[in-house]
């Protein structure tokens, strides 16, 4: 079994991508299954094979412990870690070729708490990889791009997984997509864009962050994908195969 964790900021399209990946693998003869790790989600665009909401009731936790929404999610995510053996048993009973994991909408609850890393380590798998989604509607300015690149680097450090970076919502940023792709592969171009867009303290801080980041992981460029049409999924799967299957791709 190969496991793919889909991560990114809230609203970046994680659940939609899980659905598209599931459809892609299934259409091409691979046995895929989905695991939802978000206890607070109300609906999903795919049929969930293993769902943490079957083990942890987020609403009941808030009521029982008199917690607000954020406190309830924190406790729910920590409780999920205590159920990992049961979750693993459910996954083993399905025994898919690919397990596609939908992580919580609030990525900080998963990536920055010890329970998130524990869940990743405890899921038994031949190979594991992560996809980090750059929300296309957010990264249309160079400062925002650097900010999300910093977050992506931080998440990769926390999860300690081989990571593929992808841009979502390409349908709504058509005029800016070329600029964003250039920023992801050419530091000088990005620094010039920052200079043209900002000045003073913002420029100094942004360029300092940029120079401190190791952007070598972006050398092959971000992978543009459309969760609406599925465009780019083939390129994303090819990148996944280089990590998970030593380059042996699922036939399209």
């Amino acid at each position: 079994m190969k496991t793919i964790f889909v991560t990114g900021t809230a609203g970046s399209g994680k659940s939609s991508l899980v659905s598209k990946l599931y459809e892609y693998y299934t259409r091409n003869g691979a046995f895929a299954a989905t695991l939802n790790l978000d206890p607070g989600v109300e609906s999903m665009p795919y049929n969930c094979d293993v769902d943490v909401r079957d083990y942890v009731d987020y609403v009941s936790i808030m009521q029982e412990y008199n917690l607000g929404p954020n406190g309830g999610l924190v406790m729910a995510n920590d409780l999920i870690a205590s159920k990992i053996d049961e979750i693993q048993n459910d996954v083993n009973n399905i025994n898919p070729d690919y397990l596609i994991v939908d992580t919580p909408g609030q990525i900080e609850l998963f990536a920055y708490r010890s329970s998130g890393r524990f869940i990743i380590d405890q899921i038994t798998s031949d190979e594991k990889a992560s996809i980090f989604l750059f929300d296309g509607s957010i990264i249309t300015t160079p400062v925002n791009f650097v900010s999300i690149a910093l977050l992506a680097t931080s998440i990769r450090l926390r999860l300690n997984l081989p990571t593929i970076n992808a841009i979502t919502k390409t349908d709504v940023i058509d005029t800016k997509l070329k600029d964003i792709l250039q920023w992801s592969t050419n530091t000088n171009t990005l620094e010039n864009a920052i200079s043209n867009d900002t000045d003073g303290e913002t420029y100094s801080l942004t360029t300092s962050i940029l120079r401190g980041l190791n952007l070598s992981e972006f050398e092959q460029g971000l992978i543009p994908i459309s969760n609406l049409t599925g465009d780019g999924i083939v390129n994303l799967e090819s990148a996944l195969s280089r990590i998970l299957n030593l380059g042996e791709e699922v036939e399209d």
Side-chain angles (χ1 to χ4, degrees):
M1 182 181 77
K2 315 296 173 63
T3 303
I4 303 163
F5 294 88
V6 181
T7 66
T9 55
S12 59
K14 295 186 291 294
S15 295
S16 295
L17 180 60
V18 168
S19 177
K20 291 298 182 184
L21 280 173
Y22 176 84
E23 291 172 3
Y24 179 89
Y25 282 122
T26 302
R27 186 173 64 249
N28 288 284
F31 180 24
T34 57
L35 165 59
N36 170 49
L37 287 180
D38 190 345
V41 67
E42 294 184 359
S43 63
M44 294 171 291
Y46 57 88
N47 293 322
C48 192
D49 297 294
V50 183
D51 194 338
V52 295
R53 294 176 300 176
D54 295 334
Y55 301 98
V56 175
D57 188 331
Y58 162 62
V59 175
S60 295
I61 289 172
M62 285 195 298
Q63 294 172 345
E64 181 178 353
Y65 295 97
N66 194 28
L67 297 171
N70 289 334
L73 284 173
V74 168
M75 178 169 282
N77 277 279
D78 288 347
L79 287 174
I80 290 168
S82 70
K83 303 289 186 179
I84 191 62
D85 289 341
E86 297 172 58
I87 294 170
Q88 182 68 60
N89 285 337
D90 279 353
V91 171
N92 290 344
N93 288 335
I94 298 171
N95 193 27
D97 298 322
Y98 295 93
L99 179 66
I100 310 169
V101 183
D102 196 354
T103 61
Q106 293 174 287
I107 187 61
E108 66 275 13
L109 295 179
F110 181 70
Y112 294 118
R113 295 185 65 80
S114 57
S115 55
R117 178 66 177 272
F118 177 81
I119 291 169
I120 287 177
D121 290 342
Q122 292 302 307
I123 291 179
T124 303
S125 184
D126 296 323
E127 300 290 343
K128 300 174 185 177
S130 171
I131 303 170
F132 184 89
L133 303 186
F134 282 63
D135 187 331
S137 64
I138 293 177
I139 59 171
T140 54
T141 68
V143 171
N144 283 3
F145 178 86
V146 172
S147 299
I148 299 299
L150 177 61
L151 176 62
T153 303
S154 176
I155 298 299
R156 181 172 185 172
L157 175 65
R158 285 291 303 157
L159 302 187
N160 194 32
L161 291 172
T163 301
I164 296 165
N165 297 294
I167 309 175
T168 59
K169 304 180 182 177
T170 55
D171 314 89
V172 299
I173 59 163
D174 183 60
T175 58
K176 292 294 294 185
L177 182 58
K178 182 178 179 181
D179 290 338
I180 293 169
L181 293 176
Q182 288 181 334
W183 297 342
S184 71
T185 56
N186 190 315
T187 302
N188 290 333
T189 299
L190 177 53
E191 191 163 335
N192 288 336
I194 295 169
S195 177
N196 292 333
D197 198 52
T198 65
D199 55 23
E201 184 177 351
T202 300
Y203 172 78
S204 298
L205 178 59
T206 307
T207 53
S208 294
I209 291 172
L210 175 61
R211 292 164 186 169
L213 284 173
N214 179 10
L215 294 185
S216 61
E217 64 192 75
F218 300 118
E219 284 180 355
Q220 295 180 345
L222 301 179
I223 299 175
I225 54 176
S226 168
N227 288 342
L228 182 64
T229 65
D231 289 348
I233 296 296
V234 172
N235 294 333
L236 180 62
E237 192 282 325
S238 296
L240 284 168
S241 288
R242 286 193 287 272
I243 296 172
L244 299 174
N245 303 318
L246 301 179
E248 296 181 9
E249 299 174 21
V250 174
E251 295 295 331
D252 189 10

